[in-house]
Amino acid sequence: MEIVRTKRELREKLRPERRKGKVIGFVPTMGYLHEGHLSLMRKAREDSDIVVVSIFVNPTQFGEGEDYETYPRDLERDAKLAQEAGADLIFFPDVKEMYGEGSITYVDMTGLTDTLCGASRPGHFRGVMTVVAKLFNIVDPNKAYFGQKDAQQVAVLKKMVEDLDFNVDIVEMPIVREKDGLAMSSRNTYLNGAQREAALAISRSLFEARSLIEAGERDASRVKERIVRKLSSSPMILIDYVELVDAGTLKSIQEVKGSVLIAVAVKIGDTRLIDNVKLEV
Ligand code: PAF
């Protein structure tokens, strides 16, 4: 496995492979890899001839006061894990290489980005779309792999690909959880013991909501109430949002039917955590 730091070098390496008709699978990440990322890489390995992983903590998707500076970074550890999961190439640009001097062009969207994390983190999805569009142009993959934990990100990127005619298939992979249910996230490393214990209420509240729906509940506000009650039982949890939305449009629903996304975002101390469950009703 090789680590490549410039766009030019990456393009030079991939061009001949593409000409030979090799299938390129791409896993964009911000590093500090966990099982969730590794499951994407293993799937890419199964589907493709060449697996490219990018590691880039993207400054344009962090808002003021967010954790850009403190976001965990460890290339040596990540390289080892990525290699074991089947990566052939790691693209590891620095900010200057990625954005260049005087970069003033962005990719943005309306509607899908106005709710959930888009409402709480203004500008976040503009940064995500811009960097992913750039990465798609640089890597030119056949398939790109994303985790369902960032369900809104996947919906936004699928729409971007459709609207801007990117020639790439977006593959969405299930959330990977710790044994006790906590959704894997690089940000879990910020939590101390008590905070991590409190964080379990997030997945538990979502599983309870799912059971409630499976038992026949169709009133979205009652499901939401149950989640809020469970989360509020921990004084460490500050709720950002609890929403039941249509999984395609991300619009709020009153009646639980069709493809439903139940999404939660909370803060525990300074750490923002998100989680969700999707279900067909
Ligand atoms: O999901 C992430 O880690 C990031 O948002 C992504 C897609 C790598 C873009 O920076």
Side-chain angles (χ1 to χ4, degrees):
M1 193 194 63
E2 274 185 86
I3 300 176
V4 171
R5 290 166 195 264
T6 66
K7 301 173 195 174
R8 179 196 280 216
E9 203 188 334
L10 188 71
R11 285 197 169 112
E12 278 167 7
K13 285 198 184 295
L14 292 177
R15 199 175 300 125
E17 304 299 337
R18 203 172 293 107
R19 280 210 197 103
K20 283 184 233 157
K22 297 272 166 92
V23 173
I24 299 172
F26 177 43
V27 182
T29 81
M30 297 205 300
Y32 217 73
L33 305 176
H34 52 66
E35 263 309 307
H37 299 114
L38 302 179
S39 72
L40 308 181
M41 291 175 206
R42 290 189 199 110
K43 176 74 174 125
R45 181 71 281 161
E46 264 173 49
D47 295 351
S48 351
D49 299 306
I50 300 179
V51 177
V52 180
V53 174
S54 64
I55 297 178
F56 178 64
V57 185
N58 173 36
T60 65
Q61 70 188 74
F62 288 80
E64 212 156 296
E66 291 189 348
D67 55 343
Y68 173 66
E69 301 295 341
T70 53
Y71 198 86
R73 293 158 167 92
D74 189 340
L75 178 61
E76 209 178 304
R77 172 188 174 277
D78 285 349
K80 191 167 171 290
L81 291 172
Q83 179 163 27
E84 283 163 11
D88 296 304
L89 275 172
I90 290 184
F91 180 46
F92 184 69
D94 63 17
V95 174
K96 245 188 169 166
E97 173 66 16
M98 199 57 198
Y99 284 104
E101 207 125 295
S103 172
I104 51 170
T105 307
Y106 293 90
V107 180
D108 212 348
M109 183 184 284
T110 51
L112 277 183
T113 53
D114 297 341
T115 59
L116 307 176
C117 290
S120 311
R121 303 181 69 190
H124 168 68
F125 285 112
R126 178 172 101 142
V128 170
M129 279 184 276
T130 302
V131 82
V132 172
K134 285 166 72 64
L135 288 165
F136 283 174
N137 283 331
I138 297 162
V139 178
D140 192 12
N142 300 81
K143 292 185 181 200
Y145 298 80
F146 296 88
Q148 189 210 305
K149 184 163 140 312
D150 298 298
Q152 187 174 18
Q153 171 170 279
V154 180
V156 163
L157 292 175
K158 278 186 179 162
K159 190 75 180 115
M160 179 190 84
V161 160
E162 182 190 332
D163 289 355
L164 298 184
D165 303 301
F166 281 98
N167 193 16
V168 56
D169 289 335
I170 302 279
V171 182
E172 181 175 6
M173 295 288 290
I175 296 177
V176 179
R177 298 181 180 280
E178 304 280 0
K179 277 204 187 76
D180 57 12
L182 183 67
M184 295 223 180
S185 163
S186 307
R187 290 189 168 100
N188 290 349
T189 54
Y190 298 149
L191 302 172
N192 65 29
Q195 291 174 328
R196 197 194 171 290
E197 192 56 35
L200 293 178
I202 305 167
S203 55
R204 287 180 185 156
S205 71
L206 286 166
F207 299 157
E208 232 178 78
R210 184 172 55 199
S211 301
L212 205 61
I213 292 168
E214 281 165 0
E217 181 61 80
R218 293 293 176 266
D219 183 335
S221 59
R222 278 210 286 268
V223 178
K224 190 169 156 172
E225 253 170 52
R226 179 72 79 92
I227 300 172
V228 170
R229 205 182 319 142
K230 176 105 188 164
L231 293 173
S232 307
S233 67
S234 168
M236 282 192 188
I237 294 183
L238 188 68
I239 297 175
D240 177 356
Y241 63 73
V242 173
E243 295 290 349
L244 277 82
V245 298
D246 177 285
T249 62
L250 304 185
K251 290 215 167 87
S252 280
I253 54 169
Q254 257 93 60
E255 191 193 347
V256 180
K257 66 163 197 255
S259 215
V260 175
L261 177 74
I262 313 178
V264 167
V266 304
K267 259 193 135 181
I268 300 183
D270 288 335
T271 307
R272 189 172 187 279
L273 297 173
I274 58 171
D275 196 355
N276 67 75
V277 295
K278 254 188 201 176
L279 55 168
E280 295 296 325
V281 183

